[in-house]
Amino acid sequence: MNRFHHVAGTLALAAALASGAAGAQDLGAYRALAGSLEAASRARPASAERALVQLDRAETAYAGLAPTLRNPQLAGGLKDTLGHARGALARTPAELQAQVLLARGLMRKALYDQTLTLLAGTPGNGAEAVRLLGREFGLGETAGAALARDAGAGHPERVAWRLQRAAAAKVSAALKATRAQRSPAAYLDLARAASWFTVVQDAGTPGGLQVAGFDEALRQLTAGDTAGLTASLGSLRRGAATLNSTLATPPRMTTQAAQPTTQVQAKPPASSPASQPARTVARPPAQGTPTRASGVDGAYAALGRALTAAGHGDGEGVRAALARAHKALSAAPGALRKAGGYDEFLERLAAAGDRRSPRPADVQALIAGLGVLEREAAGERPSRLDAASAGVSRSFGGGLRAAVFLGLALLALVPLYLLNLAFGGRNPSWRAISAGLVLLLLPVFLEGVFGFLGWLGDRLGVPLLAHASTLTLSQGAYGVPLWALTAALGLGLTAFGFRGLCVQFGLLGGPSAPRPALSQGLDWDEEPT
């Protein structure tokens, strides 16, 4: 299959990379390229057109990054992979997502090599690149700080150790999640493992873990050779376990920094991807597993940040957090990935990331949806209320919600106008009733006007206008007591007004005097004397 040859070609390139070139990358272009590729991967299941827009942006970002890539072979391989991703648009979403995974692996490899070479010469000049590497490799706050300390202290061998430790653990996690069957999920898991091995191959290959092993497993998966794939996955998992075990001990600190140079190996022909991986000269080992929460815990943490951002009208912050949640769920345990609604939930998460003016209720529904998915994976009965909330949020949100409540806000003016037209404002009881109705309808009016302005501001990219949604009473917990207060005042005023009318016409109070003749009676809008 074509997709196998594209993946195998990228892996063969990774095995032949020479990483001794010095120089700093354009980190702004790197971030832009990474963001566009991730956005294309998220958008493809729902819309090939949106994915194409993101790939166009990725091409533009690559044009800015390419001049700062010191390895021409890697730069060419990355460009080819971007081309393969564009070609995969016409096929299944999994094929584009696999190409994105491999492109991201090549990007990390380039950043890793050039940063370590830079640190070996001038440790103080690579601080920003080290921070970016920490985020790219999924290091948590504590591990990221330790990485920065090692870089600043002139210990690139320790920097390499920490990064290789994270990458090796991700290889193991992806291989563990890969099922021996011909399916898009298995294809993506195997491509993810190969992507991370692009970096960790320089740590050495104990246990026989090689690029050729990934090539063979991918070939067997695409050919439907289940028996061969089972054997290959077993071999890869054993090799990954041995690699992690070997990388469990931190290296001794040396005064002479280890250079991140690798032996260059010729690229094998595409028909026989059996190249040996590159090896590092004096490459330090790494330990354990990455400290960053991944899988379900990482997704919940990202959704929590999205909820916080939604609470103060930060649409961009919500979309960035949802992207991190999507990425974390891609590393979810196998049991969750086997749940019936897993792929559907990922699509909903990607669609929510494209929604304008996301509200806290939208994020809460996503959290509830993840809870439903967890319960299904555990064989428990999910909450029908959570499932209903997720369904309503999917269909009633964004522009539709803003338009509906704007219409209700405008309609709320109609009964107030008609009340004033019919009875005027001379009678204090009617004035109290009118004021009470205004307070009772105030939440609808605020939701309609400021909710619509917030949606419009987010869509137009005007931050000040986008924060208008924070003036609605449904935006956060602060709105609940305000809503209760306006409701209490509104009910009090309407009750006062209707009581006044009842007293005025003798329906309440003491014994009333004989009612005057009709011609001498009071009109509804008159003030009693």
Side-chain angles (χ1 to χ4, degrees):
M1 297 175 65
N2 287 336
R3 67 181 184 180
F4 164 70
H5 291 304
H6 292 160
V7 173
T10 304
L11 295 180
L13 167 67
L17 291 177
S19 57
Q25 288 188 23
D26 183 340
L27 300 185
Y30 183 100
R31 294 187 183 95
L33 178 56
S36 297
L37 286 175
E38 297 290 351
S41 180
R42 293 193 304 271
R44 177 59 185 91
S47 171
E49 291 76 12
R50 289 204 300 267
L52 178 59
V53 171
Q54 295 298 333
L55 288 178
D56 288 338
R57 294 176 180 173
E59 292 282 356
T60 301
Y62 171 77
L65 178 65
T68 62
L69 295 176
R70 303 308 181 202
N71 189 315
Q73 188 178 9
L74 188 149
L78 182 55
K79 183 176 181 180
D80 290 343
T81 307
L82 293 177
H84 296 156
R86 185 179 291 272
L89 277 172
R91 299 191 290 274
T92 64
E95 296 186 50
L96 181 140
Q97 291 166 341
Q99 293 300 326
V100 168
L101 287 171
L102 296 173
R104 295 287 284 119
L106 293 175
M107 291 172 61
R108 294 186 191 100
K109 172 67 174 173
L111 182 62
Y112 169 90
D113 287 339
Q114 290 183 219
T115 301
L116 287 180
T117 303
L118 185 64
L119 290 176
T122 53
N125 291 342
E128 185 179 359
V130 169
R131 286 193 297 270
L132 179 56
L133 275 172
R135 289 192 294 270
E136 283 286 272
F137 281 68
L139 299 182
E141 182 177 353
T142 302
L147 186 77
R149 285 196 301 271
D150 286 337
H155 299 297
E157 74 282 359
R158 299 274 296 188
V159 174
W161 160 62
R162 295 183 185 278
L163 296 175
Q164 289 171 0
R165 175 184 59 184
K170 289 180 181 294
V171 172
S172 293
L175 287 174
K176 184 178 180 180
T178 305
R179 302 175 63 185
Q181 63 181 26
R182 186 178 182 181
S183 68
Y187 182 63
L188 287 177
D189 285 331
L190 196 51
R192 184 174 295 108
S195 170
W196 282 106
F197 185 67
T198 299
V199 176
V200 80
Q201 61 178 323
D202 286 350
T205 55
L209 193 62
Q210 302 177 15
V211 170
F214 289 96
D215 287 345
E216 180 64 15
L218 284 166
R219 185 194 64 77
Q220 292 164 340
L221 189 151
T222 55
D225 182 3
T226 305
L229 177 60
T230 301
S232 294
L233 285 176
S235 177
L236 289 172
R237 287 165 181 161
R238 288 190 296 272
T242 305
L243 178 61
N244 276 279
S245 177
T246 303
L247 299 177
T249 306
R252 291 183 300 175
M253 294 187 182
T254 60
T255 56
Q256 179 63 35
Q259 295 290 332
T261 56
T262 60
Q263 297 175 357
V264 181
Q265 186 158 345
K267 179 180 178 180
S271 59
S272 178
S275 60
Q276 295 293 326
R279 292 181 178 269
T280 303
V281 177
R283 177 68 59 174
Q287 72 177 12
T289 58
T291 59
R292 170 180 172 266
S294 60
V296 177
D297 291 340
Y300 273 122
L303 289 173
R305 294 186 181 95
L307 184 59
T308 301
H312 53 260
D314 182 7
E316 289 299 327
V318 173
R319 285 185 283 275
L322 291 181
R324 290 193 294 271
H326 191 285
K327 184 176 181 180
L329 275 182
S330 299
L336 189 69
R337 299 170 70 86
K338 298 174 187 176
Y342 175 77
D343 292 333
E344 180 185 356
F345 183 77
L346 285 185
E347 292 179 5
R348 282 164 43 199
L349 199 57
D354 294 331
R355 177 176 289 179
R356 296 291 101 182
S357 188
R359 305 295 292 275
D362 299 328
V363 184
Q364 289 169 347
L366 289 173
I367 295 174
L370 182 54
V372 169
L373 190 63
E374 272 194 298
R375 293 179 69 88
E376 289 179 349
E380 301 175 1
R381 184 177 179 180
S383 167
R384 293 184 179 180
L385 184 60
D386 286 345
S389 297
V392 170
S393 175
R394 185 165 64 251
S395 57
F396 186 71
L400 177 61
R401 171 175 172 163
V404 167
F405 275 100
L406 179 62
L408 292 176
L410 296 177
L411 287 176
L413 300 176
V414 175
L416 298 175
Y417 168 74
L418 294 178
L419 181 64
N420 183 71
L421 184 65
F423 302 112
R426 290 179 294 173
N427 191 312
S429 296
W430 282 118
R431 290 198 297 269
I433 293 172
S434 298
L437 288 177
V438 169
L439 289 173
L440 290 175
L441 293 172
L442 183 62
V444 175
F445 183 79
L446 294 176
E447 179 70 33
V449 174
F450 293 109
F452 181 81
L453 290 177
W455 172 82
L456 187 64
D458 193 27
R459 187 170 185 84
L460 298 179
V462 182
L464 183 62
L465 199 59
H467 285 77
S469 60
T470 59
L471 299 177
T472 66
L473 299 186
S474 62
Q475 188 72 8
Y478 59 84
V480 176
L482 292 177
W483 191 355
L485 178 62
T486 57
L489 291 175
L491 291 172
L493 285 171
T494 52
F496 172 79
F498 280 115
R499 182 185 181 282
L501 290 178
C502 290
V503 171
Q504 177 181 341
F505 289 96
L507 301 176
L508 288 177
S512 59
R515 299 186 63 178
L518 180 63
S519 60
Q520 300 174 353
L522 292 172
D523 290 333
W524 283 95
D525 61 342
E526 289 184 1
E527 183 175 357
T529 57

